[in-house]
Amino acid sequence: MSTFWHILRFKILSFLKTTFDRNAVTAVRGIGSLIVFGGFALSAYALAFAVTSYLVPRVGLAVFHHLVSMVLFVLFVAVNMGNIIVSHATLYKSAEVGYLFTKPVSFEQIFVLKFLDNFLYSSTTFFLLVFAALLGYGTYFEYSWATYAVLLIFVFTPFLFLSACIGVLVLMSLVKVASRWGFRRVVAGLAVVYVLAITLFFRFSNPIGMLENASRLQSGDESVFQLFNIPALSFLPNAIASKVLYHLSRGDIGNSVLTAALLLLGTSAIFAFVLFIGRRFYYRTWLMTFDFQAKSNTVEAGRKLKLFDFRKTSWLPAQWEVLMKKEYFLFRRDASQTIHLALMLVLVVVFALSMRNLNLRLRVTEVQTIGYLVVYSFGGFLSCSLALRFVFPSISLEGKSFWTQLSSPLNIKKVYILKFLLGALLVMLPALLVAIFSNVPFVRMSERRPLLLYFGIYSSFWTSLTLVSLNLGLGGLFANYKEKNPIRIASSQGATLTFLMSLVYLMALVSIFIIPLTEYFQSLFLFMPFEMVSIVAPGTTLYMLSAALGVFAFLIGLRSLQRDF
Amino acid sequence: MIELRDVTKKFGNFTAVDNVSVRIPPGEFFGFLGPNGAGKTTTIKMMAGLFAPTSGQILINGFDVVKEPLKAKSFTSYVPDQPFLYDKLTGREFLYFIGGLYKMQKKEVTRKIEEVIGHFEIGEWVDKRTEDYSQGMRQRVTIAAALIHEPKVLIIDEPMVGLDPKSAKIVRETLHQMAGSGVSIFMSTHSLPIAEELCDRVGFIKDGRLVFVGTQTDLQAYKQKFDGKFESVFLELTK
C-alpha cells in the first residue's frame, strides 16, 4: 500500500506544480478560468434557485423531485459516458501505465490510481455544476451549510462515483467482448443500448405528460402523482438521490438518511466489484488493446488507387492537396474519432427526427417562446459539443509532427483555414439539419409562415461558424502537442473553458431572442402587430456578436500557430 | 549558404543562445558540438523556423528566416533530433506529404520517392503505418523525406541517433555526397568521431556562446596542445 501512496503523492505534486506554475500564461489562464467557471457556477446557482422557486409552488414537491430525478438521470448518463470515453485513454492508452507496469507495482494499485485519476479528470466540472445547482436548490429550502456538506459528501459524491464505476466496468467488458466480436461492432452495439436506455427512460417517465397532469392537480397534491412507484425506475441511482432530496425537503430526516445509506451502500458494493474485476482483468484487457492495434495496422498500399490516395494526381494545388489528404487519413484511421463522430451524428439525427414530430398544442405565448428557446438551445448545445469534440483538438492533434509543416515553405494560414473549413462543414451540416427539422413544427403551428425556419437557418449558419472559430482559436491557444488522444484534449481545462464560453455565447443569443420571439408568438396567438424590424434587429445583433467573437478567436488561433514550437 | 548574424534567443531571463555568428558557404559541412543544454537544438530550431530569434538575423541563401520565411524554407531541409511522424500515415504517404509541402509535381515526387526508398532500403516496410516503426526506421524515413526536394541547405540535429551501423553508414555517405554536390550542411552532433570524419569545419557552443569555430586543420593543431584526442578538446572547450 505504501507504493500506492508514494505514487499518489508524486502525482499530486506534479499536478500542483503544473496547475500553479508561476508564469504569465498560467496566471492569465487561471484568471480566465476563474471568471468563466465562476460565472458558470453563478448561472447554475441562479437557474437552480429560479427553477425551484418557480416550480415547487406550482407543481408540488413530488412532481418537482421527479423532474430532479430526470435531470440527475441525464447527469448520471453524461458522467458515465464521459468516464467510458476518457477512461479508455487513461487506463489503456496512457504512457504512464506502460511505464508503471514495468515497475514492481501491483496491477490493482495501478488500476485504482488510474481509475481515480480518470474520475477526478472527467468529473470535476460536473462536481462544480452539481454543487452550484445544489446551492441554488437549497437556498429555496433554506438549508444550512452543514446540510450542503452532508449532501455533497454522502449523496452526490457516491452518485457521481457510482456512475464512474459503472463506466469503467462497461469499458473493461467492452474491451473483453471486442476481442471476440471486433471493436467497432461492440461500440455500435453499446451505442444502441445507450440510445435505447435513454429513450425508454423518457418514455416511462414522460416529463411533458407529467407536467400536463400536474397542471390539472392542485398544488401540493402529493397523493395523486405516484412518484417513485415505477418499480423498474425507483432503484436507479438518480431516483434514489432525488428521493433523499425529496424526504429532506419534507423534513423527513429519518427516511432521507436511510435512502442516502442505500446509495452509499450500493456505491460501495459496486466499487468493491470494480476492484475485484480490475484485479482480475485490467492487465489482461490492457494487453488485449495491443492486439487490436496490431490487427488494425495493416499494410496500406494496394495496386488500385483509392479515393484520396496520395499517389493520385489532383487538380488542387500541391500544398492544399496533401494537407487535405493528411487530414482525411488521420481522421479516418483513428477509431476514436470515427466512432465518436458516428455516435454524435446518430444523436443529432434522433434529435432532429423527434423534433419533427413535436406536437405544439398549447397556444400560449410564454410556453411557445420558452419551448422554442429550449429547442434552440439544445440544438446549439449539440453544435457546441461537436465543435468541442472535433474542432478544439484539431490543432493539438498535429502533435510533435507539426514540425514538418512549420519548417516547410508553407504559409501556416493555409493549415488554419483548412481546419476551419473542415470544422465548419462538420458542425454546420448537423446544425442546419437540426434547425430545419426543429422549426418544422413551429412553421406548422404558425399556419405555414416560414419566418422561424429562415431565422433558424440564418442563426444556425452564424452560430456554427462562430463556434468553430471559437473552438479552433482557443484550441490553438491551449494547444497541447504532447497529448495524442483527442478525447483527453477535448476534456482538458482549456477545452472546458472553451465549452463554457460557447455556452455563455449561446445564452447571450437566447437572451437576444426572447423579446422578438415573444412578439412573434403574440402576433400569432393574440393577433398583435409584428414589425419585421423586430426580427431584423436581433438578427443583426446576432451577426455582429458572432462576427466579433469569431474574428477575435480566429486571430488568436492564427497567432498561436506562430509561437515557438 | 547559411549565415547567422549575432543571433540571440532568450526564454524569459534565461539566455539559451547568446550572440552566435557563423557563416557556412555552399558545399561546406559544418559540425555543431556542445554539451547537453548548451543551445544546439535551440539554434537549429531557429534556423528551421520553429523558434523566432530574440535578436539577430538568420539568412538562408540570402533570405531572412523571419522576414521571408517561405523563400528561406524552400531551400531548406530540416531533420529534427526526434523523428516525429504522423502515426496514422504510412512512410510512403509521409514522403508524398512532404513532397506536396514543397510544391513538387506528382511525377517528380513519385520518382524521388522511389529513388530514396531504394537508397535507404526502406521498401520492405514503407507502406506500413509509421506507428509501427522503430526509432531507426522513423529516422531513416525522416532523412529520406529531407532529400525529396533536393535542398540547398540541410539542417540536421543528431542524425545518427537510433540508427543501426548499416543505416548510419548510408546516412554518412549520403551527407558526404550532398556536401560534395554543393549543399550547405549544418549538423548538430554528440558524436566526436562523426564530426571528425565528416565535417569541414566545427563549432563548439557552451552556455549559448560559440566558444570555438575552426577547420579540421585548426582542430588538429588545437588537439596537439592536449593529448591529441578530440575528446580532450571537447572536454577542455566545454568545461
Side-chain angles (χ1 to χ4, degrees):
Chain A
M1 211 51 190
S2 63
T3 320
F4 177 83
W5 294 115
H6 177 75
I7 299 172
L8 194 66
R9 208 183 107 222
F10 276 91
K11 279 181 83 75
I12 292 170
L13 205 67
S14 158
F15 171 77
L16 292 177
K17 276 185 184 277
T18 322
T19 310
F20 300 106
D21 192 14
R22 279 177 296 173
N23 64 48
V25 177
T26 322
V28 170
R29 196 185 294 179
I31 293 166
S33 302
L34 203 70
I35 293 168
V36 177
F37 278 97
F40 191 66
L42 210 65
S43 313
Y45 167 82
L47 188 72
F49 179 67
V51 168
T52 312
S53 312
Y54 181 81
L55 284 179
V56 170
R58 285 169 178 79
V59 299
L61 282 173
V63 176
F64 176 73
H65 282 94
H66 199 138
L67 285 172
V68 169
S69 167
M70 287 179 198
V71 173
L72 288 178
F73 177 78
V74 174
L75 182 73
F76 190 86
V77 173
V79 173
N80 181 253
M81 287 174 81
N83 267 277
I84 294 175
I85 291 164
V86 180
S87 59
H88 182 244
T90 321
L91 289 167
Y92 293 105
K93 289 209 153 185
S94 146
E96 187 194 8
V97 171
Y99 178 74
L100 286 175
F101 275 139
T102 65
K103 303 283 166 254
V105 186
S106 76
F107 303 149
E108 192 185 4
Q109 286 180 350
I110 300 172
F111 173 73
V112 175
L113 275 168
K114 296 309 287 182
F115 173 74
L116 292 177
D117 183 349
N118 182 63
F119 173 63
L120 294 173
Y121 190 84
S122 55
S123 314
T124 322
T125 313
F126 286 113
F127 261 111
L128 178 82
L129 182 74
V130 164
F131 185 56
L134 185 67
L135 276 177
Y137 163 89
T139 306
Y140 176 79
F141 294 103
E142 296 176 349
Y143 287 154
S144 66
W145 282 104
T147 313
Y148 291 121
V150 167
L151 283 174
L152 202 65
I153 295 167
F154 294 106
V155 179
F156 287 101
T157 304
F159 174 76
L160 293 174
F161 197 71
L162 178 63
S163 177
C165 286
I166 294 173
V168 169
L169 279 178
V170 170
L171 177 73
M172 277 200 280
S173 320
L174 196 142
V175 174
K176 201 139 175 33
V177 176
S179 63
R180 186 170 295 174
W181 293 343
F183 197 70
R184 281 169 200 258
R185 211 175 290 172
V186 172
V187 170
L190 187 74
V192 171
V193 169
Y194 270 85
V195 169
L196 262 177
I198 295 167
T199 313
L200 285 176
F201 179 84
F202 283 105
R203 178 145 294 186
F204 285 117
S205 53
N206 180 358
I208 294 170
M210 196 179 67
L211 279 175
E212 279 180 0
N213 285 335
S215 65
R216 285 195 224 111
L217 304 174
Q218 281 189 342
S219 172
D221 187 353
E222 310 285 350
S223 60
V224 185
F225 180 73
Q226 296 180 338
L227 179 73
F228 310 130
N229 279 352
I230 306 162
L233 303 182
S234 62
F235 285 102
L236 288 179
N238 53 299
I240 298 174
S242 80
K243 246 193 237 182
V244 176
L245 296 177
Y246 173 64
H247 291 311
L248 196 67
S249 68
R250 299 172 71 203
D252 186 354
I253 306 289
N255 266 327
S256 186
V257 170
L258 273 178
T259 321
L262 182 69
L263 183 66
L264 212 58
L265 207 70
T267 305
S268 309
I270 296 284
F271 183 55
F273 185 60
V274 167
L275 288 182
F276 169 74
I277 294 289
R279 184 190 290 172
R280 289 203 61 178
F281 296 110
Y282 178 43
Y283 183 59
R284 272 194 249 172
T285 49
W286 185 76
L287 291 175
M288 281 175 184
T289 55
F290 285 98
D291 294 339
F292 296 145
Q293 197 173 321
K295 277 179 198 164
S296 66
N297 296 347
T298 47
V299 174
E300 300 289 351
R303 280 185 193 167
K304 204 176 159 192
L305 294 185
K306 291 177 190 163
L307 189 72
F308 291 116
D309 195 306
F310 272 95
R311 291 170 293 177
K312 260 188 162 178
T313 37
S314 158
W315 51 268
L316 282 167
Q319 290 185 331
W320 285 104
E321 182 207 333
V322 292
L323 287 173
M324 281 186 76
K325 286 180 175 173
K326 182 211 63 159
E327 291 286 344
Y328 170 75
F329 281 119
L330 295 191
F331 191 88
R332 208 202 71 186
R333 288 173 184 171
D334 188 342
S336 67
Q337 296 278 64
T338 48
I339 290 171
H340 211 166
L341 178 65
L343 280 177
M344 291 184 89
L345 290 182
V346 166
L347 275 178
V348 168
V349 171
V350 168
F351 177 66
L353 292 178
S354 56
M355 280 298 108
R356 196 188 53 169
N357 298 321
L358 196 69
N359 193 352
L360 305 166
R361 282 168 290 190
L362 288 173
R363 294 180 72 84
V364 178
T365 303
E366 288 77 14
V367 171
Q368 293 307 336
T369 307
I370 290 172
Y372 188 88
L373 288 176
V374 166
V375 171
Y376 176 85
S377 305
F378 198 80
F381 188 78
L382 274 179
S383 298
C384 284
S385 309
L386 273 172
L388 179 79
R389 174 60 187 80
F390 297 103
V391 181
F392 183 87
S394 64
I395 290 176
S396 293
L397 283 178
E398 287 294 334
K400 295 273 187 182
S401 316
F402 205 18
W403 67 268
T404 49
Q405 292 165 67
L406 295 172
S407 65
S408 70
L410 168 74
N411 188 339
I412 213 68
K413 272 185 196 160
K414 284 183 188 170
V415 178
Y416 196 79
I417 290 169
L418 182 68
K419 284 184 186 292
F420 179 80
L421 292 176
L422 293 174
L425 195 74
L426 198 142
V427 175
M428 196 184 286
L429 289 181
L432 289 176
L433 183 84
V434 168
I436 292 167
F437 277 88
S438 63
N439 274 291
V440 166
F442 290 96
V443 172
R444 213 168 21 203
M445 182 194 65
S446 62
E447 285 129 19
R448 310 211 171 272
R449 275 197 256 173
L451 183 68
L452 284 181
L453 178 66
Y454 295 155
F455 184 73
I457 292 172
Y458 171 83
S459 162
S460 295
F461 177 80
W462 288 113
T463 311
S464 308
L465 286 185
T466 309
L467 288 174
V468 168
S469 185
L470 191 66
N471 279 273
L472 189 63
L474 296 186
L477 183 71
F478 297 119
N480 176 5
Y481 296 113
K482 287 177 192 159
E483 181 60 65
K484 285 184 175 181
N485 192 306
I487 296 157
R488 278 192 83 96
I489 300 167
S491 51
S492 62
Q493 194 192 8
T496 312
L497 198 68
T498 309
F499 189 63
L500 296 182
M501 282 179 81
S502 306
L503 292 184
V504 170
Y505 164 69
L506 268 188
M507 278 195 259
L509 294 188
V510 166
S511 62
I512 292 170
F513 300 149
I514 290 175
I515 294 172
L517 276 172
T518 308
E519 286 177 5
Y520 178 72
F521 286 117
Q522 277 174 345
S523 77
L524 284 182
F525 306 143
L526 307 172
F527 307 105
M528 289 167 74
F530 180 75
E531 301 292 329
M532 274 312 281
V533 71
S534 304
I535 204 85
V536 171
T540 313
T541 316
L542 165 109
Y543 165 75
M544 285 166 66
L545 177 68
S546 303
L549 190 62
V551 169
F552 178 66
F554 193 92
L555 293 175
I556 284 182
L558 199 56
R559 213 179 147 79
S560 69
L561 293 189
Q562 284 148 3
R563 286 189 306 220
D564 285 350
F565 181 67
Chain B
M1 191 186 70
I2 308 168
E3 198 173 351
L4 278 75
R5 293 180 186 162
D6 305 321
V7 175
T8 297
K9 178 68 184 175
K10 290 184 178 179
F11 296 103
N13 294 328
F14 173 69
T15 306
V17 177
D18 194 359
N19 236 18
V20 168
S21 295
V22 68
R23 189 171 174 276
I24 297 125
E28 185 178 272
F29 201 133
F30 184 81
F32 198 45
L33 295 106
N36 295 332
K40 298 190 296 294
T41 298
T42 305
T43 308
I44 276 188
K45 281 190 166 183
M46 285 192 283
M47 293 163 71
L50 300 180
F51 281 172
T54 308
S55 63
Q57 213 179 10
I58 300 171
L59 302 172
I60 304 282
N61 267 16
F63 295 106
D64 191 311
V65 169
V66 176
K67 289 178 186 155
E68 295 176 284
L70 301 189
K71 280 184 181 160
K73 286 173 186 175
S74 65
F75 296 106
T76 316
S77 258
Y78 162 61
V79 179
D81 53 345
Q82 290 291 321
F84 290 108
L85 308 174
Y86 288 103
D87 284 355
K88 301 289 175 195
L89 295 185
T90 67
R92 189 189 297 273
E93 286 168 348
F94 180 76
L95 295 173
Y96 271 105
F97 175 64
I98 297 295
L101 291 181
Y102 284 87
K103 298 182 180 176
M104 291 173 74
Q105 295 292 315
K106 193 71 76 176
K107 267 188 184 171
E108 180 63 5
V109 188
T110 307
R111 187 186 66 77
K112 282 297 293 184
I113 286 175
E114 292 308 323
E115 198 179 301
V116 292
I117 286 174
H119 185 73
F120 287 98
E121 299 174 12
I122 56 179
E124 217 174 287
W125 38 263
V126 77
D127 290 314
K128 280 191 169 188
R129 289 188 199 170
T130 62
E131 62 193 346
D132 288 344
Y133 290 5
S134 67
Q135 163 91 1
M137 288 155 120
R138 285 165 180 266
Q139 188 76 326
R140 275 151 82 175
V141 170
T142 311
I143 295 172
L147 307 187
I148 292 274
H149 71 106
E150 296 179 351
K152 298 280 176 232
V153 167
L154 182 64
I155 301 160
I156 187 162
D157 200 355
E158 298 290 354
M160 306 303 171
V161 174
L163 292 179
D164 60 51
K166 191 181 170 193
S167 310
K169 185 169 178 281
I170 296 173
V171 170
R172 278 203 310 273
E173 286 170 0
T174 309
L175 294 178
H176 195 69
Q177 280 168 16
M178 286 177 80
S181 65
V183 176
S184 310
I185 301 179
F186 189 102
M187 179 183 73
S188 150
T189 183
H190 278 117
S191 169
L192 305 180
I194 286 171
E196 220 172 356
E197 179 196 336
L198 291 175
C199 300
D200 301 312
R201 253 186 337 146
V202 291
F204 284 83
I205 186 168
K206 187 188 169 254
D207 297 332
R209 287 177 170 272
L210 207 52
V211 290
F212 175 90
V213 179
T215 60
Q216 286 287 358
T217 319
D218 300 331
L219 198 62
Q220 294 305 325
Y222 201 67
K223 270 161 66 173
Q224 298 316 314
K225 289 184 184 171
F226 303 96
D227 56 2
K229 288 182 182 169
F230 197 0
E231 190 184 16
S232 306
V233 176
F234 182 89
L235 293 174
E236 175 61 26
L237 286 170
T238 57
K239 80 178 174 190

